[in-house]
Amino acid sequence: MTKLTVVAHIVAKEDKVELVKTALLKLIDVTRAEEGCINYDLHQDNQLATHFMFYESWESRELWQAHMGNSHLAEYVEATEGAVTSFVLNEMTHIS
């Protein structure tokens, strides 16, 4: 099994930063408890408060895909509808 690293960039609307941040924080504990989650770390840009980034490591792509289908992510999407200006997700392989 090949481990998977995921980097997700989320940019909130300026007037929705706290709403998005609160919703993102709710994902952490439940995701860290999921099978296959090695780490799930949320960051916020020091200069641009609207920019959030998750750095995630998973035991496999399959276990990450199971995570992506969980209800707490659907609840996040619903809670932040119209509050996020961009979402970019990169699947990466650790090479060194």
Side-chain angles (χ1 to χ4, degrees):
M1 244 188 297
T2 302
K3 291 182 182 176
L4 177 70
T5 300
V6 175
V7 179
H9 293 271
I10 304 103
V11 179
K13 290 183 177 179
E14 285 189 34
D15 62 336
K16 301 293 184 185
V17 170
E18 288 307 312
L19 181 144
V20 172
K21 184 176 183 177
T22 298
L24 291 171
L25 288 168
K26 288 180 182 178
L27 297 174
I28 294 172
D29 288 339
V30 66
T31 299
R32 287 180 179 165
E34 290 180 47
E35 180 184 3
C37 181
I38 298 167
N39 68 284
Y40 190 75
D41 301 320
L42 179 62
H43 305 266
Q44 185 174 18
D45 190 288
N46 292 336
Q47 300 301 314
L48 187 62
T50 58
H51 184 193
F52 298 92
M53 187 264 299
F54 268 116
Y55 180 84
E56 314 171 28
S57 296
W58 293 86
E59 290 179 10
S60 71
R61 186 171 194 274
E62 293 75 24
L63 291 170
W64 172 72
Q65 285 180 311
H67 156 73
M68 293 301 289
N70 280 331
S71 62
H72 55 273
L73 286 177
E75 291 165 6
Y76 160 79
V77 170
E78 184 178 332
T80 61
E81 186 174 345
V84 173
T85 62
S86 72
F87 175 80
V88 177
L89 188 135
N90 299 101
E91 295 181 44
M92 308 180 92
T93 301
H94 183 228
I95 59 174
S96 176

